[in-house]
Amino acid sequence: MGSLKSPVFILILHLLEGVLSNSLIQLNNNGYEGIVIAIDHNVPEDEALIQQIKDMVTRASPYLFEATGKRFYFKNVAILIPENWKTKPDYERPKLETFKNADILVSPTSPIGEDQPHTEHVGACGEKGIRIHLTPNFLAGKKLKEYGPQEKAFVHEWAHFQWGVFDEYNNEEKFYTSKGRTEAVRCSAAISGKNVVRWCQGGSCVDKGKCKKDPLTGLYKKDCVFIPDKQQSEKASIMYDQTIDSVVEFCTEKNHNKEAPNAQNQRCNLRSTWEVIQESEDFQQATPMTTQPPTPTFSLLQIGQRVLCLVLDKSGSMTSDGRLNRMNQASKLFLLQTVEQGSWVGMVTFDSAAYVQRELTQINSATDRDLLAKSLPTISSGGTSICSGLQTAFTVIKKKYPTDGSEIVLLTDGEDSTISTCFDMVKKSGAIIHTVALGPAAAKELEQLSKMTGGLQTYASDQAQNNGLVDAFAALSSGNGAVSQRSIQLESRGVNLQKNQWMNGSVIVDSTVGKDTLFLVTWTTQAPQILLWDPSGTKQGGFVIDTATKMAYFQVPGTAKVGSWKYSLQASSQTLTLTVTSRAASATLPPITVTPIVNKNTGKFPSPVRVYATIRQGASPILRASVTALIESVNGKTETLELLDNGAGADATKNDGVYSRFFTAFDTNGRYSIKIWALGGVTADKQRVLPQKNGAMYIDGWIEDGEIKFNPPHPETNNVQDKQLCFSRTSSGGSFTASNVPSTPIPDLFPPCQITDLKASIQGHNLVNLTWTAPGDDYDHGKASKYIIRISTSIVDLRDNFNISVQVNTTDLIPKEANSEEIFQFELEDSSFGNGTDIFIAIQAVDKSNLKSEISNIARVSLFIPTEEPPASEDTTAPCPDISINSTIPGIHVLKIMWKWLGEMQVTLGLH
């Protein structure tokens, strides 16, 4: 295809309530194990819902089995039951299962509106999704007409989630032209049905007859819909319309509709869904079974109180760079603010041996928090024995609770060659291990503990002004608690001050937060002058000064006032940091939340890192926010990335609240930390602004026994005005480890990123208008050197033989800076392109090192000569032409007819 394909290492940072962090799913002998379905805390208690979940999965398993050629089925599923539901004897305590790593979430409403099944997916074709969303109404069978049987819709979503395939319908572009014919977007093209005008009023729709074509485009007008036959023999495809009774398969290479303008073709380079599934890791592990699969089994798990033990390094190396004190500052924030009320917390320290600093203590008051904080170590000495610390922590926990489902926060700065000797102990414990690597020499194997248990992994450098250690501990809210109980980080800043310099700024407390608001200031030598004013201009006092730990904090009484809180800190020759945390102001108003998640955490140069951040208030996306990622290497070098929601480069979909960017500025091997800042934005009606997302198609209707039966119209879009939101959020995005980074100077091995938003339109009969977002020199950074644009009348030939397809003259096309809008026009000069010809167009970007991007998505224009209305006169005799006519149909083509006295006629129909 003439493109350079580069694997991409993915990091997903979700500023979002309760999203997948580490799925527990494993494929074992064709059966999927470890599936976690979580019922949201806001779902009213209904025991029937549990049975409905079981019924859906049980029926879906044989459907999946047959659809995949007897390769896959659902083996066992854990159902997470909210803590606020009644306790029952058959409810067990979870182990590694949490709401954060749930694969399917059952919540009152879908993120894309109403009860539509939906899968969050922000990666490329073939990459796994984030989470499936279902609603109680859907599970109860109240949406059968709209989405079909629950089990078939669930398999549709499972394909999005597990194999990274996309929808084969298109709500925004329901028809296209092919070889002069207007076709409905569908797969396979053998799906039968009728194109009709649907007219809806109130809650019902009627048939208004045959569709009419737009005289300028040749496509059906917007009121036209394709209604499939309910009964037919076509078996594909599940990713188009799973409601059709005969549909039991995915589209394959043989019956895939490559011309249909749908997400599957655009995102997967015209490959069928079955081709993508065949390339998956799952498919490589599985061979068809010769027997029927067993029925799925279920375990019912109910969340209980949080049980956690801090395991803190106090070895001799913790003396360096003030690490012991910085650890205590971060731990105090966690104990005083982050950990939730009612949690059980213990503390163990270790050097070459381990020591119990505090047995499990339930946090019921500020006194309990203070007692734990006073147990923090004050002296560092000795070696490093991580396994001793973990073993002692398990002993502490077992005195009151089983280790299943408990959590350990492990911080260390030292190397320990024996850490692998306790991996088996950790696996058997059923505990979740969160790791904090401090400094450049922390044990390389440390992250293995997080990976095997589904814990969060973070890294903090010795650059105190980056506040990485405090951020790491602030991110350790419960993975199971309701969002209203979680600590939310509003601000995290730091600076190195010289003589009597000031650190000035402001923090926005928005209306969704304000409860338990805490301002925390840390320093490295002596207490600074601290000034704080609330939004009304009232100066605040009452900071608690802790000179031993070199920190001060102020707890705002009651609920903090909404608005801008201003601060000024003055000091000399030292480093200051400011951290502000809060909680939801109300249990009923969803806060704008920050929940960073790392999907993968290792990568090899020159694969770039792709950083995502999804911002929402409850289920509604936040658009037009200013989102920044600060990435710090083990060398202390920092790189700032502006994350964009522009549907280009690393960003899959424009205006969906997911902000993305590639990271290529590697400077060394080792750990890199990520920190996210988000400021301001707007929230809008999600049905009005959101583009089509991965989800089961809402069925307009069907034809049964020759009669069209319409469903009620999809919920009307509302003319809701965008609501400006003033807010600030910050959070640790965890860490990743890079390898194979060469020594400086680092060679240019990064090509421009693939153009994914190419659009084409025809002006007149021969002028093609193109628009796209500019890639960069290195993925989406910098500026490409040139573009190669090629065209073909065959979409497959253009994909497979791009380098020998007809090239468009782009001499005057100078690439703009990455993420700019590009506009280009060219004329079709080949007179062989007749009316009804489909022209396919693709672009490749080239950088200064002659590295080429992947071929863009393929855009299409159809040459169409519009028809004119017939004359009103009944006289159909053609009038005599003028001696010379040079007539032009505006914007389409020029038809020259010349009559000569000798009777010679010259007709020229050209594309010039």
Side-chain angles (χ1 to χ4, degrees):
M1 292 177 57
S3 65
L4 173 64
K5 291 186 178 180
S6 177
V8 179
F9 164 49
I10 309 297
L11 296 178
I12 301 181
L13 314 177
H14 280 275
L15 286 76
L16 169 68
E17 174 188 347
V19 178
L20 170 70
S21 57
N22 289 290
S23 175
L24 304 176
I25 292 174
Q26 292 186 342
L27 183 65
N28 184 9
N29 294 327
N30 300 85
Y32 286 110
E33 300 178 334
I35 301 169
V36 178
I37 301 179
I39 301 174
D40 187 80
H41 295 79
N42 293 321
V43 173
E45 184 166 357
D46 181 5
E47 199 170 338
L49 180 60
I50 297 173
Q51 187 60 48
Q52 290 160 2
I53 293 172
K54 291 181 178 180
D55 292 344
M56 177 192 70
V57 176
T58 300
R59 294 193 302 265
S61 186
Y63 183 67
L64 176 70
F65 184 69
E66 295 299 329
T68 57
K70 304 183 185 301
R71 283 177 175 84
F72 307 118
Y73 68 97
F74 298 122
K75 191 172 185 178
N76 64 58
V77 175
I79 301 176
L80 272 182
I81 298 166
E83 185 180 2
N84 56 351
W85 284 29
K86 293 178 182 177
T87 301
K88 296 202 170 182
D90 55 339
Y91 294 172
E92 302 175 7
R93 182 178 173 84
K95 294 184 179 179
L96 305 182
E97 302 88 354
T98 67
F99 278 87
K100 280 189 176 181
N101 66 24
D103 308 295
I104 299 101
L105 179 66
V106 179
S107 54
T109 58
S110 167
I112 57 175
E114 295 301 314
D115 296 290
Q116 183 172 1
H118 161 61
T119 300
E120 288 181 81
H121 190 284
V122 297
C125 178
E127 293 175 2
K128 292 185 178 182
I130 305 300
R131 167 175 286 177
I132 296 171
H133 289 265
L134 305 175
T135 67
N137 281 343
F138 167 80
L139 288 163
K142 297 179 180 179
K143 297 294 175 178
L144 289 175
K145 290 183 178 179
E146 292 87 345
Y147 302 110
Q150 300 96 314
E151 63 272 12
K152 298 182 75 172
F154 180 59
V155 170
H156 176 107
E157 300 308 319
W158 183 262
H160 283 310
F161 171 76
Q162 188 66 16
W163 302 311
V165 298
F166 296 90
D167 290 321
E168 292 171 331
Y169 63 91
N170 189 338
N171 284 333
E172 299 167 5
E173 190 177 347
K174 295 186 176 183
F175 298 94
Y176 66 101
T177 58
S178 176
K179 300 177 178 62
R181 290 173 54 88
T182 301
E183 297 284 353
V185 175
R186 63 199 190 280
C187 194
S188 74
I191 294 285
S192 62
K194 290 183 180 179
N195 304 321
V196 299
V197 174
R198 183 185 64 156
W199 184 80
C200 301
Q201 187 174 31
S204 61
C205 302
V206 295
D207 177 9
K208 283 290 188 177
K210 292 183 179 180
C211 296
K212 295 182 179 180
K213 291 186 178 181
D214 186 313
L216 294 179
T217 67
L219 293 175
Y220 289 131
K221 294 182 178 180
K222 289 185 178 181
D223 57 1
C224 182
V225 295
F226 174 74
I227 305 298
D229 293 316
K230 184 71 172 175
Q231 302 295 329
Q232 52 187 300
S233 58
E234 183 58 30
K235 294 183 177 181
S237 168
I238 292 170
M239 300 313 293
Y240 168 64
D241 184 354
Q242 73 288 337
T243 67
I244 298 173
D245 292 340
S246 64
V247 168
V248 292
E249 296 176 355
F250 296 97
C251 264
T252 66
E253 186 178 10
K254 292 182 178 180
N255 61 7
H256 178 58
N257 184 0
K258 297 180 179 65
E259 290 192 8
N262 55 37
Q264 176 63 25
N265 280 328
Q266 181 175 1
R267 301 286 298 277
C268 296
N269 198 20
L270 311 184
R271 289 176 295 162
S272 68
T273 53
W274 186 243
E275 289 175 90
V276 176
I277 293 170
Q278 286 179 307
E279 294 173 3
S280 69
E281 183 180 347
D282 291 352
F283 196 92
Q284 308 308 315
Q285 297 178 20
T287 56
M289 295 174 60
T290 57
T291 59
Q292 289 299 306
T295 302
T297 60
F298 299 88
S299 55
L300 304 182
L301 311 176
Q302 187 169 37
I303 304 304
Q305 293 169 321
R306 190 179 190 188
V307 178
L308 179 144
C309 189
L310 295 175
V311 180
L312 307 175
D313 189 345
K314 70 172 201 70
S315 61
S317 56
M318 290 291 290
T319 306
S320 302
D321 297 297
R323 292 174 188 166
L324 184 73
N325 194 65
R326 288 169 53 220
M327 178 186 75
N328 288 345
Q329 291 170 345
S331 298
K332 276 201 170 183
L333 174 67
F334 177 78
L335 294 170
L336 295 175
Q337 175 73 5
T338 305
V339 68
E340 297 79 10
Q341 198 81 348
S343 300
W344 289 85
V345 180
M347 186 186 302
V348 170
T349 58
F350 67 93
D351 43 42
S352 53
Y355 314 91
V356 178
Q357 301 295 329
R358 177 67 59 175
E359 299 286 356
L360 282 182
T361 302
Q362 189 171 30
I363 296 179
N364 294 315
S365 65
T367 302
D368 299 322
R369 295 179 183 271
D370 288 337
L371 284 173
L372 282 159
K374 288 176 181 177
S375 302
L376 290 165
T378 57
I379 299 173
S380 56
S381 63
T384 303
S385 178
I386 293 172
C387 288
S388 295
L390 292 173
Q391 190 169 17
T392 303
F394 291 145
T395 302
V396 168
I397 292 170
K398 286 177 181 177
K399 289 180 181 179
K400 283 190 177 291
Y401 289 98
T403 54
D404 288 343
S406 64
E407 298 173 72
I408 287 177
V409 177
L410 170 63
L411 179 146
T412 185
D413 75 335
E415 296 184 0
D416 183 355
S417 60
T418 66
I419 187 171
S420 61
T421 61
C422 56
F423 282 178
D424 286 342
M425 175 183 68
V426 168
K427 289 178 183 177
K428 293 175 182 177
S429 72
I432 299 169
I433 313 292
H434 307 291
T435 57
V436 182
L438 176 56
K444 294 180 180 179
E445 303 85 359
L446 188 64
E447 282 83 2
Q448 291 296 325
L449 296 169
S450 295
K451 291 176 187 177
M452 69 175 66
T453 64
L456 176 66
Q457 70 172 54
T458 53
Y459 161 70
S461 74
D462 287 324
Q463 303 297 315
Q465 73 276 9
N466 291 333
N467 212 24
L469 202 51
V470 168
D471 294 338
F473 275 79
L476 292 170
S477 292
S478 171
N480 286 321
V483 65
S484 60
Q485 300 171 0
R486 298 178 194 167
S487 178
I488 298 171
Q489 195 172 3
L490 308 185
E491 182 63 289
S492 172
R493 299 280 176 180
V495 66
N496 294 319
L497 296 181
Q498 302 306 314
K499 186 176 181 180
N500 293 325
Q501 287 185 315
W502 289 88
M503 174 181 173
N504 299 314
S506 61
V507 180
I508 299 171
V509 176
D510 59 274
S511 61
T512 70
V513 295
K515 185 180 178 182
D516 294 340
T517 303
L518 181 82
F519 286 77
L520 172 71
V521 177
T522 71
W523 57 87
T524 53
T525 57
Q526 59 183 6
Q529 181 180 359
I530 303 173
L531 302 175
L532 178 67
W533 297 270
D534 71 11
S536 64
T538 303
K539 185 178 178 181
Q540 302 296 300
F543 271 86
V544 177
I545 309 297
D546 182 349
T547 54
T549 314
K550 298 177 183 177
M551 59 184 283
Y553 57 91
F554 170 63
Q555 188 88 45
V556 179
T559 301
K561 289 183 179 179
V562 173
S564 180
W565 289 67
K566 296 181 180 180
Y567 61 85
S568 291
L569 311 177
Q570 187 185 40
S572 297
S573 304
Q574 63 172 321
T575 300
L576 302 184
T577 72
L578 174 78
T579 305
V580 184
T581 63
S582 189
R583 282 188 167 84
S586 166
T588 57
L589 177 66
I592 300 168
T593 55
V594 179
T595 309
I597 295 161
V598 179
N599 192 40
K600 294 184 180 179
N601 38 40
T602 57
K604 293 183 179 180
F605 183 90
S607 298
V609 171
R610 188 158 38 180
V611 180
Y612 302 103
T614 301
I615 310 181
R616 290 184 183 166
Q617 181 185 3
S620 299
I622 305 299
L623 308 182
R624 301 201 292 276
S626 173
V627 185
T628 304
L630 181 71
I631 301 181
E632 181 184 9
S633 74
V634 72
N635 284 344
K637 177 186 174 182
T638 58
E639 182 78 12
T640 301
L641 292 180
E642 180 188 6
L643 307 187
L644 303 173
D645 184 15
N646 62 352
D651 192 61
T653 307
K654 185 176 182 178
N655 288 338
D656 65 346
V658 180
Y659 299 77
S660 319
R661 202 72 184 272
F662 286 109
F663 170 73
T664 59
F666 298 96
D667 69 316
T668 187
N669 291 309
R671 296 181 175 103
Y672 288 72
S673 66
I674 300 177
K675 181 176 185 173
I676 299 293
W677 280 300
L679 296 173
V682 299
T683 182
D685 177 61
K686 55 181 172 288
Q687 295 176 35
R688 180 169 62 87
V689 301
L690 278 181
Q692 178 177 318
K693 302 289 287 182
N694 297 317
M697 179 168 62
Y698 186 97
I699 307 304
D700 293 322
W702 61 93
I703 301 172
E704 193 168 12
D705 297 328
E707 180 185 356
I708 296 177
K709 297 182 178 180
F710 284 109
N711 276 322
H714 198 274
E716 295 289 337
T717 57
N718 301 317
N719 293 320
V720 178
Q721 296 298 313
D722 293 347
K723 179 182 178 183
Q724 185 68 42
L725 297 174
C726 293
F727 69 90
S728 63
R729 296 289 186 273
T730 186
S731 185
S732 165
S735 65
F736 66 92
T737 302
S739 61
N740 288 359
V741 179
S743 56
T744 55
I746 296 175
D748 180 8
L749 298 178
F750 297 111
C753 63
Q754 181 189 29
I755 295 167
T756 58
D757 62 346
L758 176 64
K759 293 181 176 62
S761 61
I762 191 82
Q763 181 179 334
H765 190 44
N766 66 337
L767 188 62
V768 177
N769 298 316
L770 300 180
T771 63
W772 69 93
T773 301
D777 179 82
D778 295 338
Y779 284 88
D780 54 6
H781 301 272
K783 186 190 300 183
S785 295
K786 66 178 181 179
Y787 293 117
I788 300 171
I789 302 177
R790 296 183 185 272
I791 63 175
S792 175
T793 56
S794 167
I795 192 170
V796 176
D797 282 349
L798 185 61
R799 179 192 69 175
D800 296 342
N801 301 296
F802 180 82
N803 286 340
I804 59 174
S805 297
V806 175
Q807 185 167 353
V808 174
N809 185 348
T810 56
T811 303
D812 298 329
L813 176 57
I814 308 300
K816 296 180 181 178
E817 194 71 21
N819 299 301
S820 302
E821 183 185 23
E822 297 276 24
I823 300 174
F824 181 66
Q825 292 182 331
F826 68 92
E827 285 187 294
L828 294 170
E829 299 177 353
D830 191 339
S831 60
S832 65
F833 294 143
N835 185 31
T837 302
D838 299 317
I839 307 295
F840 300 97
I841 308 150
I843 304 182
Q844 191 174 51
V846 185
D847 72 4
K848 62 180 181 295
S849 298
N850 206 35
L851 297 174
K852 297 179 180 180
S853 71
E854 293 186 59
I855 307 304
S856 72
N857 66 292
I858 297 177
R860 161 214 304 262
V861 294
S862 295
L863 306 186
F864 172 69
I865 301 175
T867 57
E868 294 183 345
E869 295 294 329
S873 171
E874 293 183 2
D875 185 359
T876 58
T877 304
C880 293
D882 294 336
I883 292 177
S884 176
I885 300 177
N886 189 348
S887 61
T888 301
I889 301 174
I892 303 298
H893 72 290
V894 177
L895 177 62
K896 295 177 180 178
I897 304 177
M898 298 292 294
W899 285 86
K900 295 185 177 181
W901 286 105
L902 296 176
E904 177 185 0
M905 180 180 71
Q906 178 183 17
V907 179
T908 302
L909 175 61
L911 305 177
H912 300 290

